[in-house]
């Protein structure tokens, strides 16, 4: 399979370098909102951990000079030993205590970070899921938005904390550096310059490569998604049956490997370049350090520095170099985090369509449902519904028939406002669906789609999802199950309504296709307030006796409700008050069974065909 190659350095506008920090403030706010106490704790521990190294270096100098002085003062008389020793020893104790304090500050920092990481990960994931809930169905079906969501879920939950940690690391190292600079400047201001010059090239190359790494991450996210999908196919119980029977593993695995090979190739190229440049430019740092080393040694030999000062300056040189490169690494890490956060915020800022109106009641209650010249095309797709007009009075039953793909389910998606018509309008009780409060609207409509969800929950909860207010109400479950004719088999299950369904969790019980459909039907019956019931091929998996029983029960309970039934079985369709025959998105015939049979059109033809099949 030919796959596009990633080209490094796609586009970096000059403004990017500054704008790259635009999310730092937001990340800080996010962490602040998550836990003020911990953020303050982090700041304090950072300050302590930042100041201490310079103090330790200074005490170190005092110790060495103290030792030299004590050596000179000690005249061999053991009686004077305590007086000579005690100042130096107390300095040693002080340094030990400082080191212990530093270790404590570091531990506290680590502990706070790991707790904050957990809290923030959860917070960002909830933000992402809440946002996902606000997206419209067409946004969900947009592969770019889906990519953004996947990328954000994979990376972004750890990035806000990482950004904050790095901001603090930068502060900590900047504080240490200031301390070191105070000491170093006394030696020579040039020494400072040498250190800065040594560190800059590595930083520049790191910043550049992290930009490249991010662009690579973005570029490959569709392929990563494809890989995840193949993993799902190969490792999940609902697909593994077919994969095994058709012996698909080799094909899927080959594809899986091919994707990896392309991605890995790009990653290797980048890693190699990054390592090579990191090493070469890092040598510059080592070089400057040893130049400074030579200089300090020289100054000590000619007597300009004491031995204590030499030890201190060498330590300070080493540590300031460390602190500087840690600061620069923090900055380049911050650039990195900002890039990944840009992805998170791009997703969170995706405009969502205003989904809801305010109406809770129509202008002319009792008018029922009206489709007026409805046309519709899925985003980026062709027209699938054309000029559909229909009126359905309360209590009437409608059956939709037509070939596969003729637009029946799409019509229901428009009725439930999962999509908006491209032209025309749908009225409920005289008011446009767009003006209805979607929550009220959806409470009035009970729908079971062909591809209803088989939740890996208990039986009762699988019914309860039909009405969130009665999600855990066992008597309502039982009532709904009786209407959907599911009560019989549910009561025979090991734990009745509390039996876990599906195979993902412990003691899960799998149901047959027909049993699942009865669960779905009962779920629709949970909607007691719904005055419009829609069943999209609800009985395709049931045996003939079960189907007949379901429809008798359905008619009995839906007498005062409007019902819409989609079915390919004409025996169930014939009893509807009105039958609508669809073809390529248009209505080609409509009327009662008898009227349609009398006109001897498409309906009559299809009905005869099915009837002949049963004879
Ligand atoms: N989410 C979607 N995005 C784009 N096109 C879609 C989508 N869902 C359906 N379609 C297209 O819309 C057309 C109508 O599909 P629809 O599901 O409404 O048909 P149907 O009459 O319910 O078919 P069936 O009897 O097979 O259930 C089909 O051509 C299909 O390819």
């Amino acid at each position: 399979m030919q796959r596009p190659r990633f080209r490094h350095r796609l586009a970096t506008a000059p403004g990017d370098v500054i704008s790259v920090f635009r999310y730092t403030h937001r990340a800080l706010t996010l962490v602040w909102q998550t836990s003020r106490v911990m953020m303050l704790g982090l700041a304090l521990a950072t300050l302590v951990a930042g100041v201490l190294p310079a103090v330790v270096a200074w005490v170190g100098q005092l110790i060495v000079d103290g030792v030299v002085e004590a050596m000179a003062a000690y005249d061999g008389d053991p009686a004077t030993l305590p007086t000579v020793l005690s100042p130096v020893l107390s300095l040693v104790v002080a340094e030990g205590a400082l080191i212990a304090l530093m270790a404590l500050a570091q531990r506290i920092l680590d502990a706070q970070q790991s707790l904050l990481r957990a809290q923030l990960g959860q917070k960002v994931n909830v933000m992402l899921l809440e946002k996902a809930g606000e997206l419209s169905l067409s946004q969900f079906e947009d592969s770019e938005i889906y990519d953004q969501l996947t990328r954000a879920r994979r990376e972004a939950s750890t990035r806000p904390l990482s950004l904050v940690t790095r901001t603090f690391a930068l502060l900590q190292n900047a504080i240490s550096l200031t301390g070191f600079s105070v000491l170093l400047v006394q030696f020579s201001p040039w020494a400072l310059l040498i250190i800065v010059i040594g560190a800059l090239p590595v930083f520049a190359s790191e910043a550049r490569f992290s930009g490249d790494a991010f662009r690579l991450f973005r570029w490959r996210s569709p392929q990563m998604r494809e890989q995840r999908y193949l993993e799902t196919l190969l490792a999940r119980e609902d697909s593994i049956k077919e994969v095994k029977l058709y012996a698909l593993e080799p094909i899927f695995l080959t594809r899986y490997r091919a994707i990896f090979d392309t991605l890995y190739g790009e990653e290797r190229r980048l890693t190699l370049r990054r390592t090579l440049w990191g090493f070469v430019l890092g040598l510059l740092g080592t070089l400057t350090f040893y130049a400074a080393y030579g200089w300090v040694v020289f100054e000590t030999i000619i007597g300009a520095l004491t031995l204590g000062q030499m030890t201190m300056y060498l330590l300070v040189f080493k540590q300031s170099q460390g602190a500087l490169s840690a600061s620069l690494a923090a900055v380049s890490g911050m650039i990195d985090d900002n890039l990944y956060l840009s992805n998170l915020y791009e997703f969170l800022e995706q405009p969502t369509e205003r989904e809801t109106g305010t109406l809770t009641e129509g202008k002319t209650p009792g008018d029922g449902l009206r489709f007026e010249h409805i046309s519709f095309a899925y985003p980026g797709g062709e027209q699938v519904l054309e000029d559909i007009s229909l009126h359905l009075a309360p209590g009437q039953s409608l059956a939709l028939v037509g070939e596969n793909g003729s637009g029946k389910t799409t019509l229901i998606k428009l009725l439930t406002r999962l999509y908006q018509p491209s032209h025309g309008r749908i009225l409920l009780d005289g008011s446009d669906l767009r003006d209805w409060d979607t929550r009220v609207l959806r409470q009035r409509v009970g729908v079971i789609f062909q591809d209803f969800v088989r939740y890996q929950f208990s039986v009762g909860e699988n019914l309860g999802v039909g009405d969130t207010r009665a999600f855990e109400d066992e008597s309502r479950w039982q009532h709904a199950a009786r209407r959907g004719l599911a009560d019989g088999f549910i009561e025979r299950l090991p734990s009745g309504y509390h039996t876990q369904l599906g195979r993902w969790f412990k003691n899960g019980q799998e149901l047959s296709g027909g049993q699942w459909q009865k669960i779905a039907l009962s779920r629709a019956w949970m909607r007691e307030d719904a005055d419009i019931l829609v069943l999209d091929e609800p009985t395709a998996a049931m045996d003939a006796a079960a189907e007949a029983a379901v429809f008798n029960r359905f008619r009995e309970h839906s007498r005062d409700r409007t019902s819409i039934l989609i079915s390919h079985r004409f025996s169930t369709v014939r009893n509807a008050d009105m039958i609508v025959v669809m073809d390529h998105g248009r209505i080609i015939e409509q009327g009662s069974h008898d009227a349609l049979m009398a006109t001897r059109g498409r309906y009559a033809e299809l009905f005869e065909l099915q009837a002949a099949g049963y004879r």
Side-chain angles (χ1 to χ4, degrees):
M1 200 182 321
Q2 199 61 38
R3 293 184 181 279
R5 282 268 315 268
F6 169 72
R7 287 180 36 245
H8 295 287
R9 311 277 307 145
L10 290 178
T12 320
D16 282 3
V17 180
I18 298 178
S19 65
V20 101
F21 288 103
R22 67 182 176 278
Y23 295 108
T24 307
H25 171 66
R26 299 176 73 163
L28 285 170
T29 316
L30 191 66
V31 178
W32 178 244
Q33 287 166 349
T34 308
S35 169
R36 286 163 194 224
V37 175
M38 277 205 256
M39 182 140 162
L40 288 175
L42 264 185
L44 189 68
T46 305
L47 188 72
V48 173
V51 172
L52 287 181
V55 180
V56 169
W58 176 66
V59 174
Q61 176 215 328
L62 295 182
I63 291 175
V64 176
D65 286 343
V67 169
V68 174
E69 247 173 61
M71 281 163 69
Y74 182 52
D75 52 8
D77 177 4
T80 61
L81 204 54
T83 343
V84 174
L85 257 182
S86 64
V88 186
L89 280 185
S90 47
L91 282 173
V92 171
V93 171
E95 185 173 316
L98 286 172
I99 295 282
L101 193 60
M102 242 162 84
L104 179 69
Q106 198 55 49
R107 289 271 170 198
I108 293 176
L109 262 180
D110 292 347
Q112 279 172 330
Q113 278 175 13
S114 86
L115 293 177
L116 255 179
R117 187 170 305 119
Q119 281 200 17
L120 259 169
Q122 166 77 359
K123 188 172 178 116
V124 173
N125 277 328
V126 169
M127 278 162 70
L128 281 170
L129 294 174
E130 277 174 353
K131 179 68 186 185
E134 285 172 22
L135 295 180
S136 69
L137 201 57
S138 34
Q139 281 176 309
F140 247 103
E141 290 176 353
D142 179 333
S143 68
E144 287 218 356
I145 297 183
Y146 198 64
D147 250 355
Q148 248 178 15
L149 171 63
T150 322
R151 277 199 306 261
R153 281 182 53 196
R154 208 169 51 234
E155 272 284 338
S157 60
T158 55
R159 293 287 172 172
L161 180 66
S162 155
L163 189 54
V164 171
T165 313
R166 281 174 165 143
T167 310
F168 280 129
L170 181 64
L171 279 179
Q172 180 185 345
N173 284 298
I175 296 170
S176 303
L177 263 179
T178 317
F180 293 143
S181 311
V182 170
L183 298 174
L184 269 185
V185 163
Q186 292 166 22
F187 172 60
S188 160
W190 290 107
L192 263 182
L193 195 66
I194 290 181
I195 290 177
V196 173
I197 290 175
L200 277 180
V202 183
F203 166 68
S205 99
E206 263 313 300
R208 185 197 141 155
F209 284 121
S210 55
D212 281 351
F214 176 71
R215 280 184 290 276
L216 179 65
F217 169 76
R218 256 195 175 197
W219 168 81
R220 67 184 188 181
S221 77
Q223 286 102 310
M224 295 290 283
R225 220 145 54 75
E226 197 178 333
Q227 262 204 325
R228 290 289 98 77
Y229 175 63
L230 289 168
E231 279 170 21
T232 315
L233 288 182
L234 285 165
R236 246 177 61 175
E237 41 88 40
D238 41 5
S239 48
I240 199 68
K241 199 167 48 187
E242 188 160 323
V243 169
K244 273 192 185 310
L245 287 179
Y246 289 112
L248 298 173
E249 288 106 335
I251 301 182
F252 289 176
L253 270 176
T254 310
R255 195 178 268 204
Y256 187 74
R257 285 198 196 98
I259 299 174
F260 174 79
D261 290 343
T262 339
L263 299 185
Y264 179 70
E266 299 296 348
E267 176 133 13
R268 193 180 52 181
R269 248 186 297 283
L270 184 62
T271 309
L272 287 180
R273 275 157 28 105
R274 201 174 191 162
T275 310
L276 186 71
W277 279 106
F279 173 69
V280 171
L281 298 174
L283 279 182
L284 211 65
T286 316
L287 208 73
T288 48
F289 172 70
Y290 280 97
Y293 200 154
W295 185 9
V296 171
V297 168
F298 170 76
E299 296 282 336
T300 314
I301 291 173
I302 62 171
L305 294 180
T306 65
L307 216 52
Q309 281 170 326
M310 181 186 100
T311 327
M312 178 186 75
Y313 285 132
L314 287 183
L315 187 71
V316 166
F317 255 116
K318 188 103 204 138
Q319 292 201 347
S320 9
Q321 224 177 14
L324 188 65
S325 49
S327 312
L328 296 180
V331 172
S332 91
M334 284 165 75
I335 296 179
D336 216 32
D337 291 336
N338 265 281
L339 288 171
Y340 286 93
L341 280 177
S342 69
N343 187 69
L344 170 71
Y345 283 105
E346 255 171 45
F347 175 74
L348 290 177
E349 280 157 14
Q350 249 326 311
T352 39
E353 294 152 23
R354 197 180 60 93
E355 253 215 334
T356 185
T358 50
L359 286 186
T360 52
E361 224 171 82
K363 262 192 290 196
T364 39
D367 186 53
L369 259 180
R370 279 179 196 276
F371 291 79
E372 291 183 347
H373 307 290
I374 293 294
S375 298
F376 178 73
Y378 284 100
E382 288 178 4
Q383 188 112 323
V384 288
L385 289 178
E386 230 179 304
D387 201 22
I388 303 279
S389 293
L390 263 181
H391 178 221
L392 203 58
Q396 256 195 322
S397 60
L398 165 74
L400 290 173
V401 296
E403 290 177 9
N404 296 128
S406 54
K408 306 177 296 290
T409 303
T410 306
L411 202 61
I412 304 306
K413 289 188 194 158
L414 296 184
L415 165 65
T416 43
R417 279 213 46 189
L418 290 173
Y419 292 91
Q420 307 263 22
S422 328
H423 292 287
R425 47 184 204 155
I426 305 174
L427 305 174
L428 173 63
D429 289 346
S431 297
D432 195 325
L433 291 191
R434 272 176 273 235
D435 301 329
W436 279 85
D437 179 331
T438 14
R439 266 186 323 161
V440 176
L441 178 70
R442 288 182 181 152
Q443 266 163 18
R444 287 194 54 179
V445 188
V447 190
I448 288 301
F449 283 111
Q450 275 161 285
D451 53 353
F452 61 88
V453 181
R454 299 162 186 224
Y455 295 97
Q456 307 260 339
F457 295 157
S458 72
V459 177
E461 288 162 342
N462 260 287
L463 306 177
V465 289
D467 182 356
T468 47
R469 291 165 302 182
F471 183 58
E472 298 193 3
D473 184 338
E474 185 147 0
S475 64
R476 290 278 308 278
W477 299 344
Q478 289 172 356
H479 189 62
R482 276 195 293 279
R483 290 193 165 185
L485 293 177
D487 53 337
F489 80 86
I490 292 176
E491 277 149 21
R492 284 194 297 277
L493 288 171
S495 314
Y497 286 85
H498 297 279
T499 310
Q500 168 72 30
L501 291 187
R503 286 260 172 241
W504 287 20
F505 302 107
K506 203 163 171 241
N507 298 330
Q509 184 89 22
E510 199 39 281
L511 298 180
S512 76
Q515 288 171 330
W516 267 116
Q517 269 186 345
K518 287 182 181 171
I519 296 275
L521 263 170
S522 314
R523 190 181 293 164
W525 284 120
M526 285 293 291
R527 290 255 144 148
E528 288 182 343
D529 300 343
D531 52 359
I532 303 172
L533 272 181
V534 186
L535 305 182
D536 185 348
E537 293 187 44
T539 52
M542 287 182 202
D543 57 65
E547 185 183 8
V550 161
F551 281 104
N552 285 336
R553 187 61 66 92
F554 181 64
R555 267 191 293 279
E556 215 174 281
H557 291 296
S558 61
R559 250 185 258 290
D560 52 341
R561 310 186 195 209
T562 306
S563 64
I564 303 180
L565 169 71
I566 302 181
S567 178
H568 291 287
R569 293 200 189 171
F570 285 71
S571 51
T572 52
V573 163
R574 63 180 299 169
N575 295 309
D577 300 329
M578 176 160 51
I579 299 164
V580 163
V581 185
M582 293 188 61
D583 184 45
H584 291 99
R586 290 176 165 276
I587 295 180
I588 53 167
E589 287 171 20
Q590 83 185 75
S592 67
H593 172 77
D594 293 337
L596 289 176
M597 290 305 282
T599 52
R600 311 218 54 76
R602 173 75 61 88
Y603 176 80
E605 186 190 325
L606 292 173
F607 186 86
E608 290 297 337
L609 207 66
Q610 267 195 12
Y614 284 116
R615 270 184 217 126

